[in-house]
Amino acid sequence: MSRNRTERLVNLVICLLSTRRFLTAAQIVATVPGYEHNAEDPREHEAFQRKFERDKAELRDLGVPLETGTASVFDTEPGYRIARRDYALPDVHLEPDETAAVGIAARLWQHAGLAAAATSGLLKLRAAGVDVDVHATLGVEPVVTVDPAFPALQTAARERQEVRFDYRTPEDDAAQTRRLQPWGVVSWRGRWYVVGHDLDREATRSFRLSRVVGAVTTVGEPGAFHSPPDTDLISHVARWSGPVEHPNRATLLVRPGRAAGVRRWAEEVVPGPDGDRVVISYSEPDAFARWVVGYGADVVVLAPDDARKATIARLRDLVDALDGAAAHPETVGGATAPVGAGTQL
Amino acid sequence: MSASTTESRSGGERLGRLLNLVPYLLARPGILVTEAAADLGVSERQLREDLELLWVCGLPGYGPGDLIDMAFDGDRVTITYDAGIDRPLRLTQDEALALVVALRMLAQVPGVQNREAIERALAKIESAAGDAAAGLPVAVRMPGAGAERLAELQGAVQRRHALQLTYYTATRDEVTERVVDPMRVVVAGGFAYLEAWCRRVEAVRLFRVDRIDSCVELEEPAEPPPEAQQHDVSEGVFKPSEELPLVTLRIGRWARWITEYYPCERVIEESPDRWLVSLRASDLDWARRMVLGLGPEVTVVAPEALVEAVRVEAGQALAAYGRMEPT
């Protein structure tokens, strides 16, 4: 933007802030330097109109609330003004510890676009007289970042506009198009989700933002739906993730000095001639077996029977699968697999 | 993005800065130009150009007394007439979103100090942002467990005390004792980490907080050496390096989740039932434990040493049961 244009726009803002009356385009031309032209010449007038449209768009992009209206019922041409109460950031009085928190929060963003927004927001607070200590620290720094789908879904939830996006979980063979009335976006245990009403499933669903493939598109008009009142967005994502209960106890035989990852959960360790007897609590036998099998021959489940049987079954499946793979290496990739895909690596 | 868009963006940036510059200076009469420039993130030269431009702007009439006016006293500047732009612009939706979401995240960090101050700040920013922050459809919850341990660690960071840690290293499946110089606590990807200079390995390490089995704050001061640099964790905490062994696995559908959980260098969807996945393992023993844990859904393609290690270990594990109850 040229210096002239910047100057013209600053003057336009000052002019429209200072007026209570709506000023028509003609009145603005007569007042603000930089809009002079011969209104009788259609070409010049058209050039002015384009320039004025661009300037208005620029101000709106910046968040300047340009009001449109007419000064009286006899006016036919629309006029413009800026209401001070809509323009100005209200007074903000922050205590030093609050200021420190805002300063820290503003530099946590790892997402380029929102990092820039946080910085410019902070500048406005500074302009409001808040002195931000940029070196303040709380000794803790959450990494604040979002997935690419975040801005579109957040805006759609806010505008209550229906969205469509392609979605693929690792277990799916292809992405599926989902239609959603988004209620909000949730960060839970380091991942972002969108929660809303799934129009195809006709039920509340949540989707992990990292699994959205490509762009999110909006469908229809804003204000198309209402999210249920008092929706606790987090509860829709977190309801499967409560604390895991460990009501059962197993006794394991652990080789001396091995399987530290098992020992650190031990409730009891009794050394013996053939290894340490370790008592540990667990939730259910199959998940427990999967965990124990990772430690191979270092850990043997002695009791109870269900955990022991589940572990043996898991090991047997594993050995069978390995024997099968070793006996028929050429069929491992399946009949349709590209031959030699593995050898390129 | 076309050149003209870039230009108009930076132009819009300057316009925004100019409109906020007047109230900024108004709140700080007699501020050093250099100090203001540093605070606003621009060069001193740029700031002087901004001031020059503002000097010729003002109220209609544009005579002396209408134009923005300022007094210079050496390297200091004071606004003496503001022409009505005495307040900064309201926060835009993006600005409100960025500040509010980051504050909500900060307030949600388990065991964070000054949570009450963060929440007060959040309330004030939300109220100042008005419509821009109203009904923001974004909720945040951080990992909830281990708040006490986190508070302990943050305390040590702030008091600059060394820590004695009992730490479980998952990649080597061992628990070790070490003295570290804490640098900061980071929460990323659903886990909290202590970043510290480890005196045992003489390097900066990220210690996952749920793997710290015990910690004792020492009297001696934390003194990370000058070469101790913080990791950039914005792209994830584990950054696979080329020096680490590359492990190639063939996985079934129900093990596909590992492609989302571990950073993979390569995923080839051979057929719906078989994907070929390559990832860096920090240690082959760790890879053996991971593969065994994943069970029959996974077979190792390479390296050969891992193929063999998994086969031998699985065979021995099964044999251990056979020995105890011959059938």
Side-chain angles (χ1 to χ4, degrees):
Chain A
M1 193 192 298
S2 69
R3 182 192 155 108
N4 284 344
R5 182 166 183 227
T6 308
E7 199 179 308
R8 183 173 79 230
L9 284 166
V10 173
N11 279 324
L12 180 61
V13 169
I14 294 174
C15 170
L16 294 179
L17 266 174
S18 72
T19 179
R20 279 166 188 263
R21 273 188 323 123
F22 287 99
L23 297 182
T24 63
Q27 287 167 321
I28 289 170
V29 170
T31 314
V32 177
Y35 288 123
E36 305 85 354
H37 68 283
N38 178 7
E40 306 295 315
D41 180 336
R43 196 177 284 179
E44 264 197 50
H45 190 64
E46 209 176 285
F48 155 75
Q49 282 177 320
R50 278 201 304 272
K51 185 175 175 180
F52 190 53
E53 287 306 313
R54 275 203 309 274
D55 285 0
K56 284 189 294 182
E58 182 77 45
L59 292 184
R60 289 199 166 112
D61 277 356
L62 209 59
V64 175
L66 216 50
E67 244 186 297
T68 318
T70 48
S72 81
V73 288
F74 305 109
D75 284 346
T76 48
E77 235 193 299
Y80 304 91
R81 70 178 181 192
I82 298 169
R84 176 165 292 271
R85 61 165 195 285
D86 297 332
Y87 173 92
L89 183 68
D91 278 330
V92 196
H93 296 289
L94 295 178
E95 302 298 325
D97 55 357
E98 297 164 0
T99 313
V102 176
I104 292 161
R107 62 177 152 79
L108 295 177
W109 277 103
Q110 308 287 339
H111 175 277
L114 286 165
T119 306
S120 63
L122 200 59
L123 279 184
K124 288 180 178 172
L125 293 173
R126 287 212 174 100
V130 173
D131 278 309
V132 179
D133 174 5
V134 289
H135 302 295
T137 168
L138 284 170
V140 56
E141 298 179 8
V143 169
V144 180
T145 191
V146 289
D147 298 284
F150 177 89
L153 289 169
Q154 187 273 134
T155 308
R158 188 176 199 148
E159 307 275 327
R160 290 178 284 120
Q161 199 168 11
E162 189 187 314
V163 289
R164 214 170 274 210
F165 53 84
D166 288 343
Y167 189 75
R168 187 182 181 187
T169 71
E171 289 74 31
D172 289 333
D173 288 327
Q176 290 183 329
T177 302
R178 310 301 294 261
R179 297 188 304 137
L180 186 74
Q181 294 178 339
W183 297 340
V185 186
V186 172
S187 169
W188 163 250
R189 294 193 172 167
R191 297 184 194 278
W192 285 99
Y193 302 83
V194 59
V195 179
H197 178 70
D198 184 317
L199 290 160
D200 296 309
R201 308 295 190 274
E202 291 188 337
T204 305
R205 286 284 185 275
S206 56
F207 299 89
R208 206 187 272 191
L209 264 56
S210 62
R211 294 173 174 175
V212 172
V213 183
V216 175
T217 51
T218 52
V219 180
E221 296 300 311
F225 58 87
H226 289 279
S227 43
D230 305 318
T231 310
D232 176 7
L233 292 174
I234 297 268
S235 69
H236 291 287
V237 175
R239 67 190 150 148
W240 320 280
S241 311
V244 180
E245 302 282 329
H246 293 110
N248 305 306
R249 286 179 156 208
T251 306
L252 312 174
L253 184 64
V254 180
R255 280 182 181 162
R258 306 283 298 172
V262 171
R263 291 170 184 272
R264 58 194 288 263
W265 299 108
E267 288 170 9
E268 204 183 312
V269 180
V270 182
D274 48 350
D276 299 334
R277 276 173 168 70
V278 171
V279 176
I280 209 164
S281 60
Y282 68 97
S283 61
E284 56 88 31
D286 288 325
F288 182 66
R290 285 197 292 277
W291 180 66
V292 165
V293 164
Y295 292 92
D298 286 339
V299 179
V300 174
V301 182
L302 299 176
D305 217 33
D306 61 351
R308 184 178 161 90
K309 281 194 172 129
T311 309
I312 294 172
R314 179 87 175 165
L315 277 168
R316 201 156 272 150
D317 286 351
L318 181 57
V319 168
D320 287 349
L322 290 168
D323 287 348
H328 310 285
E330 72 279 13
T331 63
V332 165
T336 57
V339 175
T343 56
Q344 295 163 5
L345 289 154
Chain B
M1 188 186 292
S2 71
S4 65
T5 323
T6 317
E7 201 181 309
S8 95
R9 282 266 168 83
S10 65
E13 221 172 83
R14 184 174 191 207
L15 180 61
R17 187 172 70 236
L18 286 165
L19 292 174
N20 294 322
L21 182 54
V22 178
Y24 172 86
L25 295 173
L26 212 51
R28 297 165 180 82
I31 189 173
L32 282 168
V33 174
T34 48
E35 191 188 329
D39 218 8
L40 300 171
V42 294
S43 68
E44 189 188 338
R45 185 193 153 131
Q46 178 65 64
L47 185 65
R48 287 191 185 275
E49 281 176 20
D50 287 353
L51 293 174
E52 251 173 59
L53 193 149
L54 284 173
W55 213 341
V56 296
C57 295
L59 286 169
Y62 307 100
D66 299 321
L67 296 177
I68 294 170
D69 207 359
M70 52 196 91
F72 284 92
D73 173 15
D75 290 328
R76 297 173 180 278
V77 60
T78 302
I79 296 280
T80 52
Y81 182 64
D82 60 50
I85 40 174
D86 56 345
R87 296 290 305 167
L89 259 167
R90 276 183 177 274
L91 298 179
T92 63
Q93 288 210 346
D94 274 359
E95 289 163 351
L97 173 77
L99 290 176
V100 167
V101 170
L103 278 167
R104 284 185 188 170
M105 284 217 166
L106 199 55
Q108 278 287 325
V109 174
V112 72
Q113 317 210 316
N114 292 348
R115 183 190 311 280
E116 189 246 344
I118 299 166
E119 276 165 359
R120 271 187 276 120
L122 182 57
K124 288 183 182 180
I125 298 296
E126 282 178 333
S127 132
D131 286 349
L136 200 64
V138 180
V140 169
R141 180 108 19 115
M142 300 290 248
E148 272 174 40
R149 173 56 51 74
L150 268 173
E152 247 179 290
L153 296 173
Q154 287 165 53
V157 171
Q158 294 215 304
R159 288 185 288 273
R160 297 175 195 276
H161 281 165
L163 284 170
Q164 164 119 32
L165 299 186
T166 307
Y167 187 69
Y168 173 64
T169 310
T171 50
R172 283 195 302 278
D173 191 34
E174 62 182 18
V175 174
T176 48
E177 295 284 325
R178 53 185 102 201
V179 175
V180 304
D181 301 284
M183 292 157 64
R184 61 170 175 163
V185 174
V186 193
V187 181
F191 292 105
Y193 300 84
L194 170 70
E195 185 163 52
W197 175 263
C198 175
R199 296 187 190 174
R200 208 172 71 112
V201 298
E202 297 192 326
V204 176
R205 286 280 185 272
L206 284 158
F207 299 98
R208 214 170 94 177
V209 171
D210 61 337
R211 291 179 179 158
I212 297 176
D213 285 346
S214 77
C215 86
V216 180
E217 189 171 331
L218 305 176
E219 284 300 312
E220 61 179 295
E223 285 175 307
E227 67 264 34
Q229 292 290 320
Q230 293 184 353
H231 287 83
D232 173 12
V233 292
S234 55
E235 300 288 323
V237 168
F238 176 70
K239 281 201 220 53
S241 109
E242 296 261 312
E243 292 141 38
L244 296 174
L246 187 69
V247 168
T248 302
L249 310 173
R250 198 160 264 138
I251 65 172
R253 186 184 298 268
W254 305 110
R256 287 184 193 173
W257 61 268
I258 66 168
T259 61
E260 210 174 43
Y261 192 82
Y262 299 106
C264 292
E265 293 213 344
R266 191 160 170 187
V267 177
I268 299 172
E269 302 180 12
E270 293 183 325
S271 75
D273 294 321
R274 305 213 179 262
W275 284 13
L276 196 64
V277 171
S278 301
L279 50 96
R280 299 274 167 193
S282 29
D283 188 291
L284 279 189
D285 287 340
W286 170 83
R288 187 196 70 227
R289 285 190 298 277
M290 178 188 77
V291 169
L292 286 170
L294 288 168
E297 281 279 294
V298 171
T299 44
V300 182
V301 174
E304 195 52 44
L306 184 60
V307 176
E308 192 55 19
V310 168
R311 209 183 52 75
V312 168
E313 190 71 31
Q316 287 181 354
L318 188 59
Y321 288 91
R323 270 202 306 280
M324 277 183 289
E325 49 186 276
T327 46

